[in-house]
């Protein structure tokens, strides 16, 4: 388990990270969200032991990153932002170096490096210098470095930044694949990624944790969560709006779009947990009125994210 | 166990650094320029052949001055480059101590300069062919020259850790090395001895690499001179480590 305890980092007078606490268990994929400059990278740099915190500490699998730094760092794999790798080295030389410094030698080193090259689809470019590789490959080389020693804890700072959609997909697959035996913390500002990969998400803003929940739980905070979006043809807008507004369990109805022929309404329920879609459909279903589409909104992470980090209700 | 790891880590980092020198043009440019300049100064300024003496005084006396520019050029990339590329973030989150990394990098650069120095061997062979030089003196002078290079390198490594700009690092290192030379340079001590008490003049010139180099290159291997070089290096490497540990940005 990674335990972040009251972590604070002061740059001058300004606190970049302000008294953050959270933890990640093995088997968990923790998404680390926040606007640029919220303190994501700074927090990760403190977890990995690159920055000493101003106060607080991090316990990595029972080892304190400040007092048992080497033991803690052995258990961590780290992919820094922008995936830095020595440009003059070839891919396999670089991974050899990483394996050696992590204590592998001889046959074990060869096997590790070979396996990692295969796993990250780098076998074809193993003898190329890193500065001849594309951004996607560089990212993979750095990713390879972070999983080379099969660490129990993976800290990934924007692992899909700058990759094309296929490469993003591959990286997400790899992250999911590895999650069974590891605790993974990764930062991103792609909210879809949180949905498809994370089991839990933490949102930070101005150096503070402002939300710590599952992706579903976060979505439930959205104002549109549980609302019914209904599109009908062949009915007067005012008419159908009034008819639905008086139904039990309906709090309010707003017109999303109306062009005379086609009307789209959003129906907000009193309680998002009590479904109103069936009643809405029954009430709309009349002579001459045809249902074009109806769906229940799950809520949008974008809205929640904006609301939580800026305080503005969309 | 712990010291085994220590040496192992230093060795692995040294190997990587060393491969880095020869993987880029830096190494070849440095070696060629160093050899050309030593040749030029020895033969054209010191008039090696016309002097008619079977010693290498005219060769070694230029070393501190050459190293003053060339060593900071090697040292400037040690840390500034890592910071610029961001690779420092990976390097310092590996399970190694700052001491391992600082020493590994320093020793790799020092060995590299040592190789450049060793490549001046044809001059020794020439002298041996022409006369009967005192090999002990030549050995001592090489050792002294190597120590001066190491001292400048430790200064350059420290200034490199201060900044992510290699140019700034280079200039700071050259100025610091210039100070270390000038403190014992005869014209400077002469100015000083005009008004300052003798003790102060001695103290200032004792901080200079030049005065310590002078005695070693005469063949006098004094513990105090060795101690001087080693203590400057240890101090600078220590400061280098402290700077890295207290950095506030990548």
């Amino acid at each position: 388990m990674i335990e972040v305890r009251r972590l604070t980092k002061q740059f001058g007078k300004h606190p970049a990270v302000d008294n953050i606490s959270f933890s990640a268990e093995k088997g968990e994929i923790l998404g680390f969200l926040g606007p640029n400059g919220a303190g994501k990278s700074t927090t990760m740099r403190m977890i990995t032991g690159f920055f000493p915190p101003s106060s607080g500490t991090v316990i990595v699998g029972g080892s304190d990153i400040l007092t048992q730094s080497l033991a803690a760092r052995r258990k961590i794999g780290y992919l820094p932002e922008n995936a830095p790798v020595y440009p003059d080295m070839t891919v396999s030389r670089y991974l050899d170096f990483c394996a050696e410094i992590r204590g592998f030698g001889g046959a074990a080193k060869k096997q590790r490096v070979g396996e990692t090259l295969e796993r990250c689809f780098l076998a074809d470019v193993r003898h190329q210098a890193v500065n001849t590789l594309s951004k996607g490959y560089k990212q993979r080389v750095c990713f390879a470095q972070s999983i080379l020693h099969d660490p129990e804890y993976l800290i990934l700072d924007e692992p899909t930044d700058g990759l094309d959609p296929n490469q993003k997909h591959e990286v997400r697959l790899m992250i999911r694949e590895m999650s069974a035996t590891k605790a993974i913390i990764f930062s991103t500002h792609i909210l879809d990624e949180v949905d498809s990969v994370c089991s839990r998400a933490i949102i930070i803003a101005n150096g503070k944790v402002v939300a710590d929940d599952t992706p579903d739980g976060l979505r439930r905070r959205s104002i549109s969560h549980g609302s019914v979006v209904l599109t009908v043809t062949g009915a007067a807008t005012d008419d159908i709006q009034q008819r639905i507004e008086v139904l039990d369990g309906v709090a309010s109805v707003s017109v999303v779009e109306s062009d005379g022929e086609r009307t789209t309404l959003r129906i907000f329920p009193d309680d998002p947990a009590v479904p109103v879609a069936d009643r809405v459909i029954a009430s709309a279903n009349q002579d001459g009125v045809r249902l074009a589409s109806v769906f229940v909104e799950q809520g949008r992470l974008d809205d929640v994210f904006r609301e939580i980090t800026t305080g503005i209700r969309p | 166990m712990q010291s085994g790891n220590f040496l192992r880590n230093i060795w692995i980092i040294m190997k990587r650094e060393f491969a880095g020198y020869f993987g880029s043009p830096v190494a070849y440019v440095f070696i060629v320029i160093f050899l050309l300049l030593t040749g030029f100064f020895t033969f054209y300024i010191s008039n090696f052949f016309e002097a008619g003496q079977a010693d290498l005084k005219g060769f070694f006396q230029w070393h501190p001055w050459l190293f003053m520019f060339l060593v900071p050029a090697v040292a400037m990339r040690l840390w500034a480059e890592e910071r610029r590329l961001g690779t420092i973030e990976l390097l310092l989150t590996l399970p190694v101590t700052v001491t391992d990394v600082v020493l590994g990098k320093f020793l790799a650069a020092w060995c590299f300069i040592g190789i450049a120095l060793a490549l001046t061997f044809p001059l020794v062979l020439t002298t041996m062919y022409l006369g009967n030089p005192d090999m002990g003196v030549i050995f001592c002078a090489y050792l002294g020259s190597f120590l001066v290079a190491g001292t400048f390198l430790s200064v350059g490594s420290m200034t490199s850790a201060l900044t992510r700009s290699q140019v700034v690092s280079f200039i700071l290192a050259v100025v610091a090395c210039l100070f270390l030379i000038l403190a014992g340079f005869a014209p400077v001590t002469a100015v000083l001895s005009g008004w300052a008490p003798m003790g102060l003049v001695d103290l200032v010139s004792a901080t200079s690499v030049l005065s310590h180099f002078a005695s070693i290159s005469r063949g006098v291997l004094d513990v105090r001179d060795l101690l001087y070089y080693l203590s400057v290096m240890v101090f600078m490497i220590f400061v280098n480590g402290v700077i890295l540990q207290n950095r506030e940005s990548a």
Side-chain angles (χ1 to χ4, degrees):
Chain A
M1 186 166 84
I2 292 187
E3 259 185 279
V4 174
R5 291 187 187 161
R6 308 176 66 83
L7 211 53
T8 299
K9 182 73 186 178
Q10 209 97 20
F11 289 125
K13 274 192 167 173
H14 165 75
V17 173
D18 193 359
N19 204 1
I20 279 187
S21 298
F22 63 87
S23 62
E25 305 272 356
K26 280 190 189 168
E28 244 182 336
I29 307 182
L30 184 63
F32 207 51
L33 306 172
N36 286 332
K40 295 191 298 278
S41 291
T42 307
T43 306
M44 293 187 139
R45 283 169 167 175
M46 286 191 283
I47 295 175
T48 53
F50 181 59
F51 277 169
S54 305
S55 69
T57 189
V58 181
I59 315 291
V60 182
S63 310
D64 191 310
I65 194 73
L66 293 177
T67 57
Q68 297 147 289
S69 187
L70 293 188
R73 284 192 244 168
R74 274 187 202 105
K75 300 175 199 168
I76 296 180
Y78 179 36
L79 171 71
E81 201 176 1
N82 303 323
V85 183
Y86 296 107
D88 293 332
M89 291 182 96
T90 67
V91 175
S92 61
R93 276 257 175 88
Y94 177 63
L95 292 181
D96 278 349
F97 164 70
C98 294
E100 279 173 27
I101 206 94
R102 298 246 180 219
F104 297 103
K109 176 181 90 177
K110 220 174 158 189
Q111 192 196 347
R112 279 283 156 158
V113 172
E115 274 174 18
T116 311
L117 284 170
E118 292 293 332
R119 192 161 183 191
C120 299
F121 309 101
L122 289 167
D124 296 341
V125 297
R126 66 198 306 166
H127 297 304
Q128 279 190 37
V130 170
N131 57 8
T132 64
L133 298 176
S134 68
K135 166 101 192 176
Y137 270 107
K138 270 183 201 159
Q139 189 91 7
R140 265 189 261 170
V141 173
C142 205
F143 189 71
Q145 161 281 131
S146 71
I147 61 168
L148 180 84
H149 51 298
D150 195 23
E152 296 168 72
Y153 305 98
L154 260 185
I155 314 290
L156 310 171
D157 200 349
E158 301 194 0
T160 57
D161 187 45
L163 302 186
D164 70 35
N166 296 334
Q167 294 165 331
K168 277 184 183 155
H169 181 70
E170 271 165 26
V171 169
R172 285 176 203 161
L173 277 185
M174 268 195 277
I175 291 176
R176 264 214 300 257
E177 216 173 84
M178 289 184 301
S179 69
T181 53
K182 300 184 198 307
I184 302 175
I185 301 180
F186 83 96
S187 75
T188 179
H189 34 232
I190 305 169
L191 292 158
D192 291 342
E193 216 153 59
V194 178
D195 242 344
S196 60
V197 182
C198 296
S199 54
R200 219 175 98 215
I202 285 180
I203 301 181
I204 68 170
N206 297 320
K208 291 193 172 68
V209 174
V210 289
D212 182 348
D213 210 336
T214 61
D216 276 337
L218 283 177
R219 222 181 277 111
R220 250 178 256 130
R221 301 185 186 195
S222 165
I223 188 166
S224 57
H225 170 72
S227 66
V228 177
V229 179
L230 176 77
T231 306
V232 295
T233 56
T237 305
D238 291 347
D239 186 30
I240 189 145
Q241 189 181 0
Q242 276 162 18
R243 200 144 17 99
I244 292 172
E245 254 171 358
V246 299
L247 291 174
D248 269 355
V250 171
S252 65
V253 178
S254 65
V255 180
V256 180
E257 209 178 8
S258 168
D259 61 0
E261 177 62 22
R262 194 179 259 268
T263 305
T264 304
L265 301 172
R266 184 185 288 276
I267 298 119
F268 294 97
D270 285 331
D271 178 0
V274 180
V276 292
D278 51 346
R279 267 171 273 166
V280 168
I281 292 168
S283 144
N285 224 346
Q286 291 183 328
D287 289 345
V289 179
R290 304 201 59 188
L291 287 177
S293 80
V294 56
F295 69 92
V296 181
E297 181 98 65
Q298 293 304 304
R300 284 193 297 256
L301 284 177
D302 299 43
D303 294 345
V304 180
F305 181 83
R306 241 198 337 270
E307 189 190 326
I308 290 178
T309 55
T310 62
I312 300 164
R313 287 223 128 190
Chain B
M1 171 67 199
Q2 211 52 43
S3 70
N5 266 344
F6 177 64
L7 294 178
R8 197 187 121 95
N9 288 343
I10 290 179
W11 172 240
I12 294 167
I13 289 165
M14 246 183 98
K15 258 196 329 191
R16 197 209 71 75
E17 284 285 319
F18 212 72
Y21 285 117
F22 291 96
S24 69
V26 181
Y28 305 101
V29 170
F30 177 85
I31 289 177
V32 168
I33 289 189
F34 175 71
L35 294 179
L36 283 177
L37 284 179
T38 48
F40 173 76
F41 280 109
T42 308
F43 292 107
Y44 291 95
I45 311 289
S46 291
N47 296 321
F48 177 70
F49 288 124
E50 290 82 346
Q53 280 182 329
D55 65 27
L56 288 172
K57 193 165 166 287
F59 163 67
F60 283 113
Q61 70 176 12
W62 300 107
H63 283 196
W65 300 94
L66 284 177
F67 285 150
M68 181 179 97
F69 289 102
L70 291 177
V71 172
V74 173
M76 67 183 184
R77 55 189 288 285
L78 282 180
W79 293 102
E81 178 85 342
E82 295 263 0
R83 293 179 67 156
R84 193 178 60 80
L85 292 171
T87 45
I88 189 172
E89 201 165 343
L90 279 176
L91 193 61
L92 295 184
T93 52
L94 288 171
V96 293
T97 62
V98 169
T99 316
D100 295 346
V101 187
V102 174
L103 278 178
K105 274 178 164 283
F106 173 79
L107 291 176
W110 203 13
C111 284
F112 167 68
I113 296 171
I115 287 177
L117 199 56
L119 286 174
T120 58
F121 72 94
L123 210 59
V124 180
L125 297 181
T126 312
T127 321
M128 284 167 72
Y129 174 74
L130 291 174
N132 197 12
D134 184 339
M135 290 311 284
V137 172
I138 290 181
F139 172 79
C140 282
Y142 265 115
L143 180 69
S145 174
F146 189 54
L147 286 169
V148 169
T151 304
F152 288 175
L153 185 65
S154 67
V155 172
S157 178
M158 187 273 284
T159 60
S160 178
L162 283 172
T163 167
R164 61 174 67 199
S165 154
Q166 299 197 18
V167 178
V168 172
S169 160
F170 177 78
I171 293 171
L172 287 177
V174 170
V175 170
C177 292
L178 184 67
F179 173 80
L180 283 179
I181 289 181
L182 285 186
F185 191 45
V188 175
T189 46
V191 169
L192 216 56
S193 60
W195 55 271
M198 211 47 212
L200 184 68
V201 178
D202 286 346
L203 189 72
V204 170
S205 76
T207 61
S208 163
V209 291
L210 223 50
S211 42
H212 296 277
F213 181 61
S215 54
I216 285 192
S217 59
R218 274 197 310 269
V220 186
L221 208 56
D222 191 331
V223 179
R224 277 173 304 179
D225 295 329
L226 295 180
L227 213 61
Y228 163 80
Y229 289 119
L230 289 178
S231 54
V232 174
M233 279 187 253
V234 168
F235 176 73
M236 286 298 169
I237 288 171
F238 174 74
V239 173
N240 192 344
V242 170
I243 291 170
L244 287 174
Q245 240 149 5
N246 292 293
R247 94 213 93 78
E248 287 287 296
S249 65

